[in-house]
Amino acid sequence: MSPDYDKEKVEALEAELDCLQKENEALGLMFETMSRKYIMLHQAYLHQKSNKRQRLEVPAAAGSKASQVFVKTDPRDQSLIVKDGFQWRKYGQKVTKDNPSPRAYFKCFMAPGCPVKKKVQRCVEDKSIVVATYEGQHNHDVDSTAAGKSLLASCSSAIFSGTRSIPFPPLDNPFRPTITLDLTLSGSDLQNHRNLPSFMHDYSTSNDDRNNKKKKIEDYVASFTKDPNFTLALAAAVARSIKTEHPKPSPP
DNA sequence: CGCGTTTGACCCGCGC
DNA sequence: GCGCGGGTCAAACGCG
Ligand SMILES: [Zn+2]
């Protein structure tokens, strides 16, 4: 047992720890973004409910017409995210100025007159993360068979719906499929209100019970876990995050 | 031969 | 008015 061995081992562990920390940071950012978006959405809902006319001229972004989905997947499997239960026909691809990665344009042709479009683009830094933007909503049923066949979405929902034990090898598994965060809110509002934590503060203080908020977030998380795919790591991370702060899940 | 992807052209809104 | 950047069209291509 020479010290070199231990040193090498320590370095390897440190590298792994760094990688995990980086991923944890990314996941935390996603979760934070989701929470912020939920808070913004709720705030906007209350505001719109109380005040009929909002001075925001935001045309289409007011409603939940556009939803953004952060997907973590293998760089080569990018085209596979198309098979998410819907049938998409690619009708364009463009290179954007900000992002070196090309952006692909898809349109749902599962049903006639379905105006749902979808934009898929890889993240700037992390090429393993793709951002899909869904626009519109389907007026047809989602093919459950195709959805069930679509990658490994069911395993993540199983974690949230049923047992909390994770029967899968965690981060060690290179087959880690996909992370999907469904954020049914436009991204422009996020950037607008990104530097305005007043909403969150106002909401947090004005509301009597913060547990309710946590419960809402949890419910929201559970809601979007049903549809899209989730990586085991994110599922476990979010579950632990929620569980630690609000140890009373009680899913329906 | 039918259908979906590819890929450059075209269009259109916007800022200078 | 013009250039630019993003969104869409459609002809060509490729594959089963
Ligand atoms: Zn559709």
Coordinates of all heavy atoms in Angstrom, one line a residue, chain C residues 3-14:
Chain C
dG3 P -28.2 46.1 -47.5 OP1 -27.0 46.5 -48.2 OP2 -29.2 45.2 -48.2 O5' -27.8 45.4 -46.2 C5' -27.2 46.1 -45.1 C4' -27.4 45.4 -43.8 O4' -28.8 45.6 -43.4 C3' -27.1 43.9 -43.8 O3' -26.4 43.6 -42.6 C2' -28.5 43.3 -43.8 C1' -29.3 44.3 -43.0 N9 -30.8 44.3 -43.4 C8 -31.3 44.3 -44.6 N7 -32.6 44.3 -44.6 C5 -33.0 44.3 -43.3 C6 -34.2 44.3 -42.7 O6 -35.3 44.3 -43.2 N1 -34.1 44.3 -41.3 C2 -32.9 44.3 -40.6 N2 -33.0 44.3 -39.3 N3 -31.7 44.3 -41.1 C4 -31.8 44.3 -42.5
dC4 P -25.7 42.2 -42.5 OP1 -24.3 42.5 -42.1 OP2 -26.0 41.4 -43.7 O5' -26.5 41.6 -41.3 C5' -26.9 42.5 -40.2 C4' -27.9 41.7 -39.3 O4' -29.2 41.9 -39.8 C3' -27.7 40.2 -39.3 O3' -27.8 39.7 -38.0 C2' -28.8 39.7 -40.2 C1' -29.9 40.7 -39.8 N1 -31.0 40.8 -40.9 C2 -32.3 40.9 -40.4 O2 -32.6 40.8 -39.2 N3 -33.3 41.0 -41.4 C4 -32.9 41.0 -42.7 N4 -33.9 41.1 -43.6 C5 -31.6 40.9 -43.1 C6 -30.6 40.8 -42.2
dG5 P -27.0 38.5 -37.5 OP1 -25.9 38.9 -36.7 OP2 -26.8 37.6 -38.6 O5' -28.1 37.8 -36.5 C5' -29.0 38.5 -35.8 C4' -30.3 37.8 -35.7 O4' -31.2 38.2 -36.8 C3' -30.2 36.3 -35.7 O3' -31.0 35.8 -34.6 C2' -30.7 35.9 -37.0 C1' -31.7 37.0 -37.3 N9 -32.0 37.2 -38.8 C8 -31.0 37.2 -39.7 N7 -31.5 37.4 -40.9 C5 -32.9 37.5 -40.7 C6 -33.9 37.7 -41.6 O6 -33.8 37.9 -42.9 N1 -35.1 37.8 -41.0 C2 -35.3 37.7 -39.6 N2 -36.6 37.7 -39.2 N3 -34.4 37.4 -38.8 C4 -33.2 37.4 -39.4
dG6 P -30.8 34.3 -34.1 OP1 -30.5 34.4 -32.7 OP2 -29.9 33.6 -35.1 O5' -32.3 33.7 -34.2 C5' -33.4 34.4 -33.6 C4' -34.6 34.2 -34.4 O4' -34.4 34.6 -35.8 C3' -35.1 32.7 -34.5 O3' -36.5 32.7 -34.3 C2' -34.8 32.4 -36.0 C1' -35.0 33.7 -36.7 N9 -34.4 33.8 -38.0 C8 -33.1 33.8 -38.3 N7 -32.8 33.9 -39.6 C5 -34.1 34.2 -40.1 C6 -34.5 34.4 -41.5 O6 -33.8 34.5 -42.5 N1 -35.9 34.6 -41.6 C2 -36.7 34.5 -40.6 N2 -38.0 34.7 -40.9 N3 -36.4 34.3 -39.3 C4 -35.1 34.1 -39.2
dG7 P -37.0 31.3 -33.8 OP1 -37.8 31.5 -32.6 OP2 -36.0 30.3 -33.8 O5' -38.1 30.9 -35.0 C5' -39.2 31.8 -35.2 C4' -39.9 31.5 -36.5 O4' -39.0 31.8 -37.6 C3' -40.2 30.0 -36.8 O3' -41.6 29.9 -37.2 C2' -39.3 29.5 -37.8 C1' -39.0 30.8 -38.6 N9 -37.8 30.9 -39.3 C8 -36.5 30.7 -38.8 N7 -35.6 30.8 -39.7 C5 -36.3 31.0 -40.9 C6 -35.8 31.2 -42.2 O6 -34.6 31.2 -42.6 N1 -36.8 31.5 -43.1 C2 -38.1 31.5 -42.8 N2 -39.0 31.8 -43.8 N3 -38.6 31.3 -41.5 C4 -37.6 31.1 -40.7
dT8 P -42.2 28.5 -37.4 OP1 -43.6 28.6 -36.9 OP2 -41.3 27.5 -36.8 O5' -42.3 28.3 -39.0 C5' -42.9 29.4 -39.7 C4' -42.8 29.1 -41.2 O4' -41.4 29.3 -41.6 C3' -43.2 27.8 -41.7 O3' -44.1 27.9 -42.7 C2' -41.9 27.1 -42.1 C1' -41.1 28.3 -42.5 N1 -39.6 28.1 -42.5 C2 -38.9 28.3 -43.6 O2 -39.4 28.6 -44.7 N3 -37.5 28.1 -43.5 C4 -36.9 27.7 -42.3 O4 -35.7 27.6 -42.3 C5 -37.7 27.5 -41.2 C7 -37.1 27.1 -39.9 C6 -39.0 27.7 -41.3
dC9 P -44.8 26.6 -43.3 OP1 -46.2 26.9 -43.5 OP2 -44.4 25.4 -42.6 O5' -44.2 26.6 -44.8 C5' -44.0 27.8 -45.5 C4' -43.3 27.6 -46.8 O4' -41.9 27.5 -46.7 C3' -43.7 26.3 -47.6 O3' -43.9 26.6 -48.9 C2' -42.6 25.3 -47.3 C1' -41.4 26.3 -47.2 N1 -40.3 25.8 -46.3 C2 -39.0 25.8 -46.8 O2 -38.7 26.2 -47.9 N3 -38.0 25.4 -45.9 C4 -38.3 25.0 -44.7 N4 -37.3 24.6 -43.9 C5 -39.7 24.9 -44.2 C6 -40.6 25.4 -45.1
dA10 P -44.8 25.7 -49.9 OP1 -45.5 26.6 -50.8 OP2 -45.5 24.7 -49.0 O5' -43.7 25.0 -50.8 C5' -42.6 25.7 -51.3 C4' -41.5 24.8 -51.7 O4' -40.6 24.4 -50.6 C3' -41.9 23.4 -52.3 O3' -41.1 23.1 -53.4 C2' -41.8 22.5 -51.1 C1' -40.5 23.0 -50.5 N9 -40.3 22.6 -49.1 C8 -41.3 22.3 -48.2 N7 -40.8 22.0 -47.0 C5 -39.4 22.1 -47.2 C6 -38.4 22.0 -46.3 N6 -38.5 21.6 -45.0 N1 -37.1 22.1 -46.8 C2 -37.0 22.5 -48.0 N3 -37.9 22.7 -49.0 C4 -39.1 22.5 -48.5
dA11 P -41.8 22.5 -54.7 OP1 -42.4 23.7 -55.3 OP2 -42.5 21.3 -54.4 O5' -40.5 22.1 -55.5 C5' -39.4 23.0 -55.7 C4' -38.1 22.3 -55.4 O4' -37.9 22.0 -54.0 C3' -37.9 20.9 -56.1 O3' -36.6 20.8 -56.7 C2' -38.2 19.9 -55.0 C1' -37.6 20.6 -53.8 N9 -38.2 20.2 -52.5 C8 -39.5 20.1 -52.2 N7 -39.7 19.7 -51.0 C5 -38.5 19.6 -50.4 C6 -38.0 19.3 -49.2 N6 -38.9 18.9 -48.2 N1 -36.7 19.2 -48.9 C2 -35.9 19.6 -49.9 N3 -36.2 19.9 -51.2 C4 -37.5 19.9 -51.4
dA12 P -36.3 19.6 -57.7 OP1 -35.7 20.2 -58.9 OP2 -37.5 18.7 -57.8 O5' -35.2 18.8 -56.9 C5' -34.2 19.5 -56.2 C4' -33.5 18.7 -55.2 O4' -34.3 18.5 -54.0 C3' -33.2 17.2 -55.7 O3' -31.8 16.9 -55.4 C2' -34.2 16.4 -54.9 C1' -34.3 17.2 -53.6 N9 -35.6 17.0 -53.0 C8 -36.8 17.1 -53.5 N7 -37.8 16.8 -52.6 C5 -37.1 16.5 -51.5 C6 -37.6 16.1 -50.2 N6 -38.9 16.0 -49.9 N1 -36.6 15.9 -49.2 C2 -35.3 16.1 -49.5 N3 -34.8 16.4 -50.7 C4 -35.8 16.6 -51.6
dC13 P -31.2 15.6 -56.0 OP1 -29.9 16.0 -56.6 OP2 -32.2 14.9 -56.8 O5' -30.9 14.7 -54.7 C5' -30.5 15.4 -53.5 C4' -30.8 14.5 -52.3 O4' -32.1 14.5 -51.9 C3' -30.5 13.0 -52.6 O3' -29.6 12.5 -51.6 C2' -31.8 12.3 -52.5 C1' -32.6 13.3 -51.5 N1 -34.1 13.2 -51.7 C2 -34.9 12.9 -50.6 O2 -34.4 12.7 -49.5 N3 -36.2 12.9 -50.7 C4 -36.8 13.2 -51.9 N4 -38.1 13.2 -52.0 C5 -36.0 13.5 -53.0 C6 -34.6 13.5 -52.9
dG14 P -28.8 11.1 -51.9 OP1 -27.4 11.5 -51.8 OP2 -29.3 10.5 -53.1 O5' -29.2 10.2 -50.7 C5' -29.6 10.9 -49.5 C4' -30.4 9.9 -48.6 O4' -31.8 10.1 -48.8 C3' -30.1 8.4 -48.9 O3' -30.1 7.7 -47.6 C2' -31.3 8.0 -49.8 C1' -32.4 8.8 -49.2 N9 -33.5 9.1 -50.1 C8 -33.3 9.5 -51.5 N7 -34.4 9.7 -52.1 C5 -35.4 9.5 -51.1 C6 -36.8 9.6 -51.2 O6 -37.5 9.9 -52.1 N1 -37.4 9.3 -49.9 C2 -36.7 9.0 -48.8 N2 -37.5 8.7 -47.7 N3 -35.4 8.9 -48.7 C4 -34.8 9.1 -49.9

